[in-house]
Amino acid sequence: MTRIPPDARFPHLRALALAGLVLAGSSGLAAAHDYTAGSLKIGHPWSRATPGGAKVAGGYVTVTNTGAEPDRLVGGSLDEAGRTELHSMSMQGDVMKMAPIEGGVAIAPGETIKLAPGGNHMMFLDLKTQLKQGARIKGTLVFEKAGTVPVEFAVESIAAKAPAEGGAEAGHDHSGHKHAH
């Protein structure tokens, strides 16, 4: 009786496994991660790695409202943070000013909001541990109508301006600026 090697019996499984390895190895992280909550499409929640001892980090994401009713991003959480706030960012001369966004960020039907470096973002405060590049950290996004949506924030490099997969627009680099709240 002739013995057939396992990979010869199921050649499609070998091809799938190789494709998975190629995809996983094409960037620091696997493919972008997206979520759906009702009519909301949530694209690639991410954050930057932090230096040891840092107590704050930013959170970034895109949200598209494909429905006919408006919704509003009103908050969120990160397992590694004591609390989370939505913040706006503006420049006054060479001073970056951040302030909490009261009432959240509206998402009109057919519109996409982007929380990105240099603009509106989530502020993760009272970090419990250092955020390390390549990690995925559990958290939530909280919407007025869609409710609480569990997500994972991918931790990109400390200097990332967009996620490794290119899912967000490049943002403003905060280094070299004075910070005021």
Side-chain angles (χ1 to χ4, degrees):
M1 181 167 170
T2 305
R3 185 148 196 204
I4 300 171
D7 59 340
R9 283 184 267 168
F10 305 105
H12 61 286
L13 293 179
R14 185 174 183 189
L16 283 172
L18 287 173
L21 288 173
V22 168
L23 271 177
S26 66
S27 72
L29 297 170
H33 57 295
D34 299 318
Y35 303 87
T36 301
S39 62
L40 301 179
K41 305 294 182 206
I42 301 163
H44 195 72
W46 67 284
S47 187
R48 291 178 175 144
T50 58
K55 293 296 177 191
V56 298
Y60 314 107
V61 65
T62 60
V63 182
T64 300
N65 185 346
T66 64
E69 297 294 321
D71 206 336
R72 181 175 294 276
L73 177 62
V74 294
S77 68
L78 184 74
D79 281 3
E80 299 302 329
R83 60 193 173 100
T84 299
E85 297 176 355
L86 289 170
H87 277 204
S88 65
M89 196 288 294
S90 63
M91 294 298 294
Q92 294 180 355
D94 67 343
V95 178
M96 180 182 69
K97 296 218 177 230
M98 285 190 286
I101 299 172
E102 300 301 325
V105 179
I107 314 162
E111 289 191 0
T112 297
I113 63 161
K114 293 181 183 188
L115 301 187
N120 292 344
H121 57 280
M122 299 179 85
M123 199 72 186
F124 302 130
L125 304 158
D126 305 324
L127 289 179
K128 301 170 188 172
T129 62
Q130 179 180 7
L131 303 185
K132 295 186 179 181
Q133 184 175 349
R136 296 265 179 133
I137 301 174
K138 292 182 185 211
T140 64
L141 297 175
V142 181
F143 298 93
E144 190 173 76
K145 294 180 181 168
T148 300
V149 181
V151 298
E152 285 187 329
F153 288 85
V155 181
E156 305 288 354
S157 76
I158 201 164
K161 294 182 183 187
E165 290 81 13
E169 292 180 318
H172 173 76
D173 182 2
H174 293 183
S175 64
H177 292 293
K178 300 173 196 144
H179 294 78
H181 283 266

